[in-house]
Amino acid sequence: MLGGVVRGERVAVVQGDRYPVEVISHCVWLYFRFPLSFREVEELLLQRGVIVSYETVRRRCAKFGQAYANGLRRRRPRPGDKWHLDEVFIRINGQLKYLWRAVDQDGNVLDILVQNRRDKAAARRFFRRLMKKTRAVPRVIITDKLRSYGAAHREVMPSVEHRSHKGLNNRAENSHQPTRQRERAMKGFRSVGAAQQFLSAFSGISPHFRPHRHLMTATRHRAEMTIRLAIWDHVTGAASRPTTA
């Protein structure tokens, strides 16, 4: 167990939670930023003098991951007016499911949704959920040639321009890569609910720490990451606490 100990010092705790805010923030950051298991996070914390069980790591990631992701999303600018949509299959307990994803022209993840099918009803459900969540209607949507998109588009957002071409949708397809990496590390998901819960938080946290590094110099990248880590500390509440680990 944690016991509220970090190198023998007393630390502030999250309101309503007996665990130090710095440890909770660091647990969630490690788990959602890197392809680590709960036991690996436990080991990394132990190296820093923090005694915490992997089960505690799991519970705190489940409890705070989505809240932190929502905090980061609220700080982002409004989504762009060009949306890229794509769907890929994922296996959950050996069954084929589909992960629907939407990103804007800047690569910001707008929403993800795990569904059983990729038919018209599934596309329509994703469109409506997407507009409700973003509170916006795009100028253009870009998809691959899946016919379900066209059918749902004509019903839900007929005034929006629809471009259907596989070669135009690389931005959405590339956005799936971190999820694929994490899926392999986790050896798949156990249930649709667990997949939706994890990926919803993951899609809000992971991109925050993935700036377009290939477009930056090393100095600029370090400066950008310093800013993003400071934002993370502010969102999680660790910025207002004394540094203890």
Side-chain angles (χ1 to χ4, degrees), residues 5 35 66 73 97 107 110 119 128 136 157-158 168 176 188 191 222 229 237:
V5 177
Q66 188 61 59
R73 286 193 176 103
K97 307 294 182 182
L110 304 177
D119 55 11
R128 288 174 174 167
M157 52 177 76
L168 295 175
H176 286 298
S191 69
R222 284 192 290 269
L229 287 167

Side-chain angles (χ1 to χ4, degrees), residues 151-168:
H153 162 261
R154 289 189 294 272
E155 183 174 324
V156 178
M157 52 177 76
S159 63
V160 175
E161 180 184 350
H162 180 206
R163 301 175 188 171
S164 176
H165 190 284
K166 185 174 179 61
L168 295 175

Side-chain angles (χ1 to χ4, degrees), residues 21-38 41 44-45 48 57 60-62 64-66 68-69 72 182 198 201-202 204-211 221 225-226 228-233 236 238 245:
V21 63
E22 295 85 357
V23 173
I24 295 173
S25 173
H26 200 60
C27 280
V28 176
W29 175 70
L30 285 172
Y31 183 66
F32 287 103
R33 172 61 184 89
F34 304 102
L36 299 171
S37 68
F38 295 124
V41 173
L44 287 172
L45 290 172
R48 299 196 64 183
V57 174
R60 291 312 173 266
C61 286
F64 294 98
Q66 188 61 59
Y68 292 167
L72 291 175
R182 196 53 191 267
F198 169 79
F202 179 76
I205 295 173
S206 178
H208 179 73
F209 297 103
R210 295 177 182 269
H221 178 259
M225 288 304 299
T226 298
R228 295 192 179 208
L229 287 167
I231 292 173
W232 172 258
D233 287 342
T236 63

